[in-house]
Amino acid sequence: MTDASRRLLVLRLSALGDVIHTIPAVVALRQALPGTTISWAVEEPYRELVELVAGVETIPVRMKRWGRAPLASRKDAGAALRAIRRADASVDFQGLIKSAALGWLSGASTRYGFARAAIREKPALLFINRQIPVDPAKHVVEQNLQLAAGIAGTLPPVHPEWDRFPADPEHKLAACRGAIVFLPGAGKPNKLWPIERFRQLAAALKRPVVTVWGPAERALAEAIGAPMAPPTNLRELAFALRHAALVIGGDTGPLHLAAALGTKVVGLYGPTDPHRNGPYGQLDRCVVASPSAKWMESISVEEVVTTVARVLAE
């Protein structure tokens, strides 16, 4: 960035795991560009996470709500658009048309983003005028750091303050302390491990188990038959994950949050590649579905039990 570019707009709107994977790069930019004001456009549910851990101001957006009810949302959307128009430069860590278009709408004269080999939606390149090559074979966290290095040059060592985020919910999650936490939910059906396997796993493990669940996941949690955590907000979820002995789940935001918080995890991976999307820093702790099928059903309870024993012993 040039001396004239003193206001940088970060674009990574959602989802939880992707926001978590972007935070190290934004922390690196904040440290490498001390004279630059960084604002991050992010979906409202992740605003507090970004502010507390990344240490930058946020511009909350609600893209789905704006699309569903444009007239009712015009005041809210207008305020967000006015806020992003303060940017001198933007950087799109999402690589979608909607995120790149926000960079263009910001009026930023310099708009950084991934080059063609790594960008998710190729038409988004129309809105980017500084394409940064990254290695698409690397983990997403490392790709984001490469994009940040294309803006700031050499980056300092990065240590996001993840422990600033968990919030003690007046001891209502005490059962999670030292327990094995199950995460049965997932954002897509093909990332779900069969619920009967979780039930069998709970019976096979000789340690306390607690199932943590999110919106629309209560029925899944109840079907396991193990003790359930109460409903949590995001900071309370972080508290439960931070104090667990081990967290088991598929390729989901909460699994990535647990890994970021330093908790041991066992990731269950089928359609997604753990080398690119796995729990960062713990990629060797994943149980991967058969390469020929990539179905979650091909992951056996016995494989998970063996991996849990190994990880707990480490």
Side-chain angles (χ1 to χ4, degrees):
M1 290 178 63
T2 66
D3 290 340
S5 298
R6 312 306 288 175
R7 296 169 297 182
L8 176 65
L9 173 66
V10 169
L11 299 158
R12 176 77 246 193
L13 311 179
S14 63
L16 176 58
D18 298 309
V19 170
I20 289 166
H21 287 157
T22 305
I23 283 176
V26 175
V27 171
L29 285 171
R30 178 169 58 81
Q31 295 175 353
L33 302 170
T36 298
T37 298
I38 299 177
S39 299
W40 186 334
V42 68
E43 291 282 348
E44 175 68 34
Y46 314 119
R47 181 179 190 178
E48 196 171 30
L49 172 65
V50 167
E51 291 176 344
L52 288 173
V53 181
V56 298
E57 66 180 38
T58 57
I59 300 170
V61 299
R62 301 169 181 84
M63 300 295 282
K64 288 184 180 179
R65 185 188 303 176
W66 296 348
R68 287 194 304 262
L71 291 178
S73 303
R74 62 186 183 277
K75 182 177 179 181
D76 184 39
L81 290 173
R82 285 192 296 274
I84 69 172
R85 287 194 64 83
R86 296 196 301 263
D88 299 305
S90 67
V91 52
D92 178 16
F93 286 99
Q94 192 148 1
L96 299 182
I97 296 170
K98 65 180 180 181
S99 54
L102 282 179
W104 178 73
L105 288 171
S106 76
S109 58
T110 304
R111 300 183 297 279
Y112 298 96
F114 296 110
R116 175 172 290 274
I119 202 162
R120 290 175 62 189
E121 293 181 351
K122 298 298 186 284
L125 292 167
L126 294 172
F127 299 104
I128 294 167
N129 58 19
R130 295 291 188 277
Q131 297 179 24
I132 307 297
V134 304
D135 185 350
K138 289 187 175 294
H139 193 279
V140 173
V141 170
E142 294 169 4
Q143 293 183 46
N144 289 336
L145 287 168
Q146 289 180 342
L147 177 52
I151 299 170
T154 303
L155 300 177
V158 179
H159 304 287
E161 298 181 79
W162 295 104
D163 276 341
R164 297 185 63 188
F165 189 63
D168 185 348
E170 298 180 356
H171 309 293
K172 76 177 186 180
L173 294 170
C176 293
R177 286 186 178 273
I180 294 178
V181 165
F182 285 178
L183 301 171
K188 296 181 179 179
N190 64 348
K191 295 183 180 181
L192 291 169
W193 197 41
I195 206 66
E196 62 270 16
R197 305 278 176 88
F198 273 110
R199 189 184 308 117
Q200 294 164 10
L201 181 62
L205 296 173
K206 306 303 181 183
R207 295 183 61 129
V209 170
V210 178
T211 302
V212 173
W213 50 283
E217 294 174 356
R218 187 181 195 111
L220 282 176
E222 289 175 340
I224 293 174
M228 291 169 51
T232 59
N233 62 34
L234 190 54
R235 294 191 70 187
E236 291 169 345
L237 169 65
F239 179 89
L241 300 175
R242 175 67 181 83
H243 294 284
L246 179 78
V247 175
I248 304 173
D251 181 14
T252 66
L255 184 81
H256 297 298
L257 180 57
L261 290 165
T263 302
K264 292 180 177 180
V265 306
V266 171
L268 310 178
Y269 275 72
T272 49
D273 181 359
H275 294 292
R276 184 185 185 278
N277 298 97
Y280 194 63
Q282 302 191 49
L283 304 187
D284 62 331
R285 294 174 175 173
C286 292
V287 183
V288 185
S290 166
S292 60
K294 295 189 176 181
W295 294 337
M296 296 294 285
E297 291 84 350
S298 70
I299 297 174
S300 71
V301 173
E302 292 74 20
E303 287 178 289
V304 180
V305 169
T306 299
T307 305
V308 167
R310 172 175 64 82
V311 173
L312 287 174
E314 291 174 349

